[in-house]
Amino acid sequence: MTSYFVCLGKELSNCGINYLVDTINPYKTLNTKILNTNQGWFAASFHKNAPLKGAKYFEDKDWIAVFAGDLIEKSITWKLILETLEYRNYKMLKNLNGYFSIAALNKRENKLFVISDRRSQLPVFYLIDNMNICISTELSTFCRLPIELPFNIEWLWEYLFFNFPVGQTTFLENVKRMPPASVLEIDIESGEYVFHEYATKFRKKKHLLEGKEALEYAYDVFRNRMPKYFTGANNIACALTEGWDGRTNLSFCPNINSVVAYTYGVPGCSDLAEAS
């Protein structure tokens, strides 16, 4: 999984950068890019030959930005994204389709912007504490910071009661998860921050489709959406759980005749027996 982190502030900027980079590239299988500012670090990990074209990082005289996740679009539209942030036209972000997170620093305004996707499907976490700012798509990054972050007992109670944490809770105090469809705007100098919602949250419809109408709608979504994920890739790996959704995805893959599908598992297990 592609990842990124941002560490700004006197205490965090003195932390060993390679020690932190290990949290976004633990198996050394990804490419990494480190961007240095006078306030700290930006770092991103990414696949070199990913179907989503364009650099997963951006830097010019006005901006530094990093990206994690995937978009249906053929490439990352950095110009449009950064103009949207500069002019606070956040509603434009609802046109980004996929699971992703973006962190971008406006050097002129000295403000950091963090974007979550429509459903917060790709988690992104933030810490704003005593002028130290850390943003990361990996919770493990916060475990390596040179500041003390106590265990959050509220997370434990939520986990035991609901079987998952609720809302922005994490197992570290003061480390929160970004809500969906949001832009977090942070003033670097003051540490003040505010959330902007760029789209309404997805909600369950009161009257769900049923029968043939539901199947036709699902078919239409797969037919129009899935080819956009596969187009442009030289090689694609798709893990199958012998389920209907995975096989449907592959049926819309370009050049389907060249696709080899396989299921893996422990010999004799039910997954292999049923998938065959």
Side-chain angles (χ1 to χ4, degrees):
M1 176 64 70
T2 59
S3 306
Y4 75 71
F5 70 77
V6 178
C7 286
L8 304 176
K10 187 174 181 180
E11 288 184 71
L12 300 187
S13 62
N14 292 328
C15 182
I17 184 62
N18 291 326
Y19 185 59
L20 294 180
V21 167
D22 285 345
T23 65
I24 62 173
N25 189 17
Y27 301 109
K28 306 297 190 296
T29 57
L30 302 174
N31 287 40
T32 56
K33 177 67 176 182
I34 300 172
L35 303 170
N36 186 18
T37 76
N38 56 5
Q39 298 165 303
W41 307 92
F42 282 64
S45 63
F46 50 91
H47 296 282
K48 185 176 181 180
N49 297 317
L52 179 64
K53 304 305 178 184
K56 307 306 184 289
Y57 55 89
F58 178 92
E59 183 174 17
D60 64 11
K61 63 183 180 63
D62 296 323
W63 290 91
I64 292 181
V66 285
F67 173 95
D70 196 12
L71 296 172
I72 292 177
E73 287 74 10
K74 293 182 179 180
S75 63
I76 302 173
T77 55
W78 282 117
K79 181 179 179 181
L80 178 61
I81 293 169
L82 297 178
E83 285 181 354
T84 295
L85 295 177
E86 183 167 7
Y87 297 108
R88 309 312 197 260
N89 189 17
Y90 299 128
K91 298 298 182 183
M92 292 291 293
L93 295 172
K94 67 182 180 181
N95 296 321
L96 294 177
N97 297 306
Y99 65 99
F100 63 90
S101 178
I102 301 168
L105 174 66
N106 187 317
K107 299 178 185 178
R108 289 182 286 100
E109 298 182 14
N110 205 22
K111 289 190 174 182
L112 179 67
F113 300 86
V114 186
I115 306 171
S116 62
D117 62 45
R118 288 289 299 273
R119 292 181 293 178
S120 192
Q121 184 174 353
L122 180 71
V124 55
F125 308 93
Y126 66 94
L127 167 70
I128 305 171
D129 181 53
N130 294 326
M131 305 309 294
N132 290 304
I133 298 172
C134 182
I135 313 294
S136 182
T137 54
E138 303 294 336
L139 268 173
S140 56
T141 303
F142 300 91
C143 298
R144 293 195 172 190
L145 298 180
I147 55 178
E148 183 178 355
L149 295 172
F151 179 77
N152 186 4
I153 194 68
E154 292 182 11
W155 172 89
L156 179 59
W157 294 128
E158 289 183 2
Y159 184 80
L160 292 175
F161 189 82
F162 297 105
N163 204 34
F164 55 85
V166 178
Q168 299 185 49
T169 308
T170 74
F171 58 77
L172 296 172
E173 285 190 13
N174 301 323
V175 178
K176 306 293 185 181
R177 177 172 177 169
M178 281 273 293
S182 298
V183 178
L184 171 59
E185 181 180 343
I186 308 170
D187 188 299
I188 303 300
E189 294 182 0
S190 67
E192 296 180 352
Y193 62 93
V194 61
F195 281 97
H196 307 276
E197 188 177 89
Y198 66 79
T200 56
K201 296 181 177 65
F202 283 115
R203 301 184 187 280
K204 181 180 178 180
K205 288 190 175 182
K206 292 182 178 179
H207 303 288
L208 298 179
L209 299 179
E210 296 180 351
K212 183 179 179 181
E213 188 180 8
L215 290 174
E216 288 178 347
Y217 181 76
Y219 178 80
D220 186 62
V221 170
F222 277 115
R223 181 182 59 193
N224 292 297
R225 183 68 60 91
M226 296 315 302
K228 295 180 180 180
Y229 278 107
F230 291 112
T231 300
N234 295 324
N235 295 289
I236 299 170
C238 179
L240 296 182
T241 58
E242 50 112 352
W244 172 81
D245 52 351
R247 298 186 183 281
T248 305
N249 291 355
L250 282 178
S251 71
F252 291 112
C253 180
N255 303 319
I256 188 65
N257 293 331
S258 64
V259 172
V260 177
Y262 64 92
T263 305
Y264 60 90
V266 178
C269 70
S270 59
D271 283 353
L272 289 180
E274 293 174 8
S276 63

